[in-house]
């Protein structure tokens, strides 16, 4: 990956991560039409584990598998578990536009956390561009926000926990491979989803199409976990976090290709605002690196 310029490596990884997560979410959304939410999470985790462990050995990381249970890796992934348990319940009971919009506070929380915990400077221009990206994301999601419910609070909880997860990921030792962290997340969520299913749901026998959807979701989930972790490892938070807003862009593409929902004029303007603010941030970073060089 060293052939990718340093200034765009983190943002590019975040774009790939959000796209991978969105493919996973689309398949999960299709599967939850006939299966309980936590059962879907459990089946997806099982599929991801079946993909992931052979991939670890193929990459030559077999000796690092015990690091799946490293204290800092587990701390990050317990937060991942808490976030996804909140998200899947909110998604099942809210309009997707509302849950998506509430999730857009994650980059802002990440920036505040990075400034407090790691002393990372943001700068007024970056903050203004990040604010424009947030506005653009809301223009795409177009939430109704018909009252605050427990599900809206769960969606906010997901956003806060996702930010905490990524901040915790910054503390994982550099010797731990990104794919190890990704498979650890799969294992932790698999166990947690299985426990939640046993407590709150009754097993429904999945059909062949459910299993195919979960196989696909599990595959893309691994790369979502991997690239979001690597994005914050290789790039400064102020440059990477705004590209989390690309999730809304991928959501529009999914809605168009899978559900036949064409974005309206406001959403198209929002996409342009998200993309424009992100590209401007990358341009600022490239100029800063050029000056330092």
């Amino acid at each position: 990956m060293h052939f990718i310029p340093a200034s765009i490596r983190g943002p590019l990884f975040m774009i790939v991560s959000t796209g991978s997560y969105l493919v996973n979410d689309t398949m999960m959304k299709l599967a939850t039409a006939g299966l309980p939410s936590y059962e879907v999470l459990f089946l997806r985790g099982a599929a991801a584990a079946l993909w992931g462990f052979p991939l670890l050995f193929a990459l030559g990381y077999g000796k690092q598998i015990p690091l799946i249970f490293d204290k800092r890796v587990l701390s990050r992934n317990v937060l991942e578990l808490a976030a996804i348990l909140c998200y899947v319940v909110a998604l099942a009971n809210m309009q997707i536009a509302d849950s998506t919009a509430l999730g857009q506070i994650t980059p802002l929380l990440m920036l505040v956390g990075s400034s407090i915990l790691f002393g990372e400077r943001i700068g007024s221009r970056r903050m203004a561009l990040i604010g424009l990206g947030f506005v653009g994301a809301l223009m795409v999601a177009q939430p109704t926000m018909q009252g605050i419910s427990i599900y809206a609070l769960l969606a906010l909880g997901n956003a806060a926990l996702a930010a905490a997860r990524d901040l915790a990921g910054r503390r994982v030792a550099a010797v731990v491979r990104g794919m190890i962290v990704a498979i650890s997340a799969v294992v932790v969520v698999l166990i947690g989803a299985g426990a939640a299913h046993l407590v709150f749901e009754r097993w429904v026998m999945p059909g062949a199409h459910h299993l195919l959807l979960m196989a696909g979701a599990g595959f893309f989930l691994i790369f979502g976990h991997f690239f979001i972790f690597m994005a914050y490892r290789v790039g400064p938070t102020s440059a990477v976090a705004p590209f989390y807003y690309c999730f809304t862009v991928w959501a529009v593409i999914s809605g168009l290709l899978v559900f036949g929902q064409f974005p309206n004029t406001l959403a198209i303007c929002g996409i342009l605002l998200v993309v424009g603010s992100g590209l401007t941030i990358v341009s600022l970073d490239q100029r800063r690196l050029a000056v330092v060089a």
Side-chain angles (χ1 to χ4, degrees):
M1 296 183 182
H2 295 291
F3 62 89
I4 302 173
S7 61
I8 67 170
R9 203 173 295 160
L12 179 61
F13 287 175
M14 179 59 81
I15 292 169
V16 175
S17 171
T18 54
S20 298
Y21 276 134
L22 201 282
V23 174
N24 155 75
D25 283 354
T26 300
M27 292 180 172
M28 282 187 63
K29 184 73 173 174
L30 293 171
T32 52
L35 297 176
S37 299
Y38 291 147
E39 182 179 335
V40 168
L41 276 182
F42 175 77
L43 291 172
R44 183 195 68 172
L50 290 174
W51 285 112
F53 280 101
L55 181 59
L56 284 182
F57 285 103
L59 292 171
Y61 301 156
K63 292 182 179 179
Q64 284 205 4
I65 285 179
L67 291 176
I68 285 175
F69 303 104
D70 174 82
K71 182 172 66 175
R72 290 187 175 182
V73 173
L74 283 179
S75 296
R76 177 203 184 269
N77 290 331
V78 167
L79 290 166
E80 167 71 24
L81 169 63
I84 191 62
L85 290 178
C86 289
Y87 177 72
V88 74
V89 175
L91 184 64
N93 292 277
M94 294 177 67
Q95 292 189 32
I96 194 168
D98 290 349
S99 59
T100 299
L102 290 170
Q104 301 312 300
I105 68 169
T106 296
L108 299 176
L109 295 175
M110 268 295 296
L111 289 162
V112 172
S114 293
S115 178
I116 294 171
L117 297 176
F118 305 115
E120 199 171 295
R121 293 185 178 181
I122 300 171
S124 57
R125 285 189 294 181
R126 272 203 184 91
M127 276 305 301
L129 290 166
I130 290 163
L132 286 175
F134 178 67
V135 171
L138 291 180
M139 289 167 66
V140 175
Q142 297 174 27
T144 58
M145 297 304 175
Q146 295 176 348
I148 298 297
S149 67
I150 185 63
Y151 304 115
L153 295 177
L154 285 173
L156 287 170
N158 164 64
L161 288 163
R165 170 203 67 198
D166 293 329
L167 289 168
R170 294 276 300 271
R171 297 186 180 276
V172 173
V175 296
V176 181
R177 301 285 185 173
M179 192 57 72
I180 291 289
V181 176
I183 302 305
S184 175
V186 167
V187 171
V188 171
V189 174
L190 171 64
I191 295 170
H197 172 68
L198 289 174
V199 173
F200 297 110
E201 298 173 343
R202 188 172 294 179
W203 179 262
V204 176
M205 185 60 65
H209 68 290
H210 293 125
L211 296 178
L212 286 172
L213 286 169
M214 291 303 94
F219 179 80
F220 283 98
L221 175 70
I222 292 171
F223 294 99
H225 285 326
F226 172 74
F227 281 107
I228 199 168
F229 174 76
M230 291 303 297
Y232 287 115
R233 171 171 277 186
V234 304
T237 305
S238 58
V240 172
F243 285 85
Y244 186 89
Y245 297 137
C246 289
F247 192 96
T248 56
V249 179
W250 290 119
V252 168
I253 294 172
S254 172
L256 178 62
L257 296 180
V258 179
F259 303 106
Q261 300 170 341
F262 192 81
N264 58 24
T265 303
L266 185 61
I268 292 172
C269 291
I271 290 171
L272 294 174
L273 198 54
V274 168
V275 173
S277 62
L279 291 176
T280 305
I281 287 172
V282 169
S283 176
L284 288 175
D285 277 352
Q286 287 179 325
R287 290 180 186 177
R288 178 179 60 80
L289 291 173
V291 169
V292 171

